[in-house]
Amino acid sequence: MSFAFALQARDKRARAGLMQTAHGTVETPVFMPVGTAGTVKAMTADAVRRTGATIVLGNTYHLMLRPGAERVARLGGLHRMMDWPGPVLTDSGGYQVMSLSKLRRIEEDGVTFRSHIDGAAHRLTPERSIAIQRELDATISMVLDECTPFPATHEQVRASMELSLRWAARSKAAFAPRSGYALFGIVQGGVHPDLRAASAAGLAAIGFDGTAVGGLAVGEGQAAMFEVLDATEPALPADHPRYLMGVGTPDDMIGAVARGIDMFDCVIPTRAGRTARAYTRSGVLNLRNARFADDAAPLDPDCGCPGCTRHARAYLHHLFRASEMLGPMLLTWHNLTYYQDLMADLRAAIVAGRFDARAAAIRAAWEVGDTR
Amino acid sequence: MSFAFALQARDKRARAGLMQTAHGTVETPVFMPVGTAGTVKAMTADAVRRTGATIVLGNTYHLMLRPGAERVARLGGLHRMMDWPGPVLTDSGGYQVMSLSKLRRIEEDGVTFRSHIDGAAHRLTPERSIAIQRELDATISMVLDECTPFPATHEQVRASMELSLRWAARSKAAFAPRSGYALFGIVQGGVHPDLRAASAAGLAAIGFDGTAVGGLAVGEGQAAMFEVLDATEPALPADHPRYLMGVGTPDDMIGAVARGIDMFDCVIPTRAGRTARAYTRSGVLNLRNARFADDAAPLDPDCGCPGCTRHARAYLHHLFRASEMLGPMLLTWHNLTYYQDLMADLRAAIVAGRFDARAAAIRAAWEVGDTR
């Protein structure tokens, strides 16, 4: 089965699509749970499936350091290792090198860095990143890019974006096509519309299977992010899946879907789940709050996850107070379920041609909820 | 459905039985996973069921302190709160008061102690313990006893055992019978056969639904424990379920089943699972060991748990090295599955009249395994 993306419906700029891959079909807009080190934290693969997730993300930086890409390959690839036969997207490692590693040095050829785990020296080039992602058996690989620091001057952003474009061309050359597998480019250019447009044009000239928007959700704020999306969207190939990397909150995602984005990944639902923060249809709840101690109601009465259908808020509160692992387990499960339900909800609204109304209703429910 | 226990087979002293309760039927010998604070650590209730467990244990001491027995009652009892409709046995709180709390003072009436959580003063009497277990909606309640320190003089053990007998009588008087619910007595008497026999006789005179053997697995060693069981077993009512509290390793349990014990609980499989120790058909493996880093074999090829059927040892090793929660989750699941499989194996052997041969074969497999 070859890699393909087909739009099924549009509602203004919002899109409902179908992405076909070697490992299964994905309905978009889609949220990809983050399985950093070959596991979505606090979840079995079976539980991830039961949230409705159809594609997960792995982090090349983490996996190359531990357990090592060659080892993952010997274990049959990421799908087999983590019991996820469905599609897997891996990032290129570039972002984590910048955010996690020590003593990194960026040169034209690539980046040298020290592992945050044991200080060992490693090197990542566009070619090496693609080779690692091949070893991981990523369904969708990402080009190596430089995640431009924010803030930066226009000239700094331009130089960084142009380096990323040269790396994108080298990534493309290194990528050996396989049926049903894909390589995505990444638009950079900071908050500057002219640089974003130049980046998108450069990527289109190289030719990719999908286009990511990178370098956002790095501190610029939601308004600036939406402005960049507004400016960038017209330059993105309409027939490509579009992936907004590292985003975001439910509100961020609704705004990005409205601006033509199809794919998301973010640690927010999993990280929040481990720290007692629940995303629900009536807003965000902190389950450590004492007012839940005797609350016999379900966390979110419209949610089908085990935490909501089988337990009371008071029990979830108790689990976090008692530092029981089941608290993070159930709340991660819930948050991921909420994210999947939200994407399905938005998709249905796009297909029905009532996206704006539905988005407004979802946001209004967060406000009228007792715990926004 | 009234509480009942029926022996279905005997093989020498080993017994296969059926225990009928208000919340379901339990085949014995049985291992009860420990759900200390209303959760079997690192497991959803659904996962506990999938290990084959039919009855779980809750700790009165922990639950009375947090979330509080009245709160559990308001949430519909322990079964409903933790999504475990099956039988639940609760201990009396006495053991944990001795092992966990501070500034405890034992008097004829009961024990006063300070919570290990917040230092608050609490009081536990036989009547209060029974009332709490009723609030928790325990299927099987245990009498409050004094867990005699080990070592102790014969006279100290006698005094303690006699106090426990007086508390047992008060517990019985405080227990309001309900159909399908049960109250178990606890034999004390340290390592002294005469005191064990006196304790058993005293309990029989009071009259209980089952008999526990307490005060073992407190440092006396397996040989001494088996000696006490050998000496105590003849004094135990044959038509009662017999419960060896806080035991043990697979080897301990095989030896105890051989000596006529029907029920067990222990934190070993769950605690070991969180620290990378796996109980398998070929012995104990420490999955942190570097030699598992590239081991593509299943942890235990004859086990049906997700960790064994869907993952390689190398993946489990990676999860523990990377401090991922999924490591403890999968290994707890595995260890509990192994404990359940072992009990089912022993039960089948008793029914088939070949317990000794089967026990010897199980133990031999631990020895020939590569990792004892």
Side-chain angles (χ1 to χ4, degrees), chain A residues 1-5 18-26 87 139 178-182:
Chain A
M1 179 179 284
S2 59
F3 184 88
F5 179 73
L18 211 58
M19 186 168 67
Q20 178 180 295
T21 81
H23 301 106
T25 297
V26 174
T139 315
R178 282 186 291 171
S179 183
Y181 288 74

Side-chain angles (χ1 to χ4, degrees), chain A residues 204-219:
Chain A
I206 299 167
F208 291 98
D209 303 301
T211 310
V213 180
L216 292 178
V218 291

Side-chain angles (χ1 to χ4, degrees), chain A residues 36-46 49-50 63 66-67 71 74-75 80-83 274 293-296 310-312 314-315 318-319 321-326 328-330 333, chain B residues 36-46 49-50 63 66-67 71 74-75 80-83 274 293-296 310-312 314-315 318-319 321-326 328-330 333:
Chain A
T36 298
T39 160
V40 176
K41 289 186 194 302
M43 297 283 286
T44 64
D46 195 51
R49 275 184 283 278
R50 287 169 64 188
L63 291 163
R66 189 170 57 195
R71 184 166 283 146
R74 284 196 298 273
L75 292 171
R80 177 134 178 221
M81 184 182 86
M82 64 189 283
D83 183 32
R274 297 197 299 283
D294 281 299
D295 191 340
R310 303 187 192 171
H311 298 291
Y315 181 63
H318 163 64
L319 293 174
R321 283 294 177 104
S323 301
E324 287 285 350
M325 285 174 64
L326 186 57
M329 290 163 62
L330 288 177
W333 195 325
Chain B
T36 299
T39 160
V40 177
K41 288 185 194 301
M43 297 284 285
T44 64
D46 194 52
R49 276 184 283 277
R50 287 170 62 188
L63 291 164
R66 190 172 55 193
R71 184 167 282 147
R74 283 196 298 272
L75 293 171
R80 177 134 178 223
M81 184 183 85
M82 65 188 285
D83 183 31
R274 296 196 300 281
D294 282 299
D295 190 340
R310 303 188 192 171
H311 298 291
Y315 181 62
H318 162 64
L319 294 175
R321 284 294 177 104
S323 300
E324 287 285 352
M325 284 175 65
L326 187 57
M329 289 163 61
L330 287 177
W333 194 326

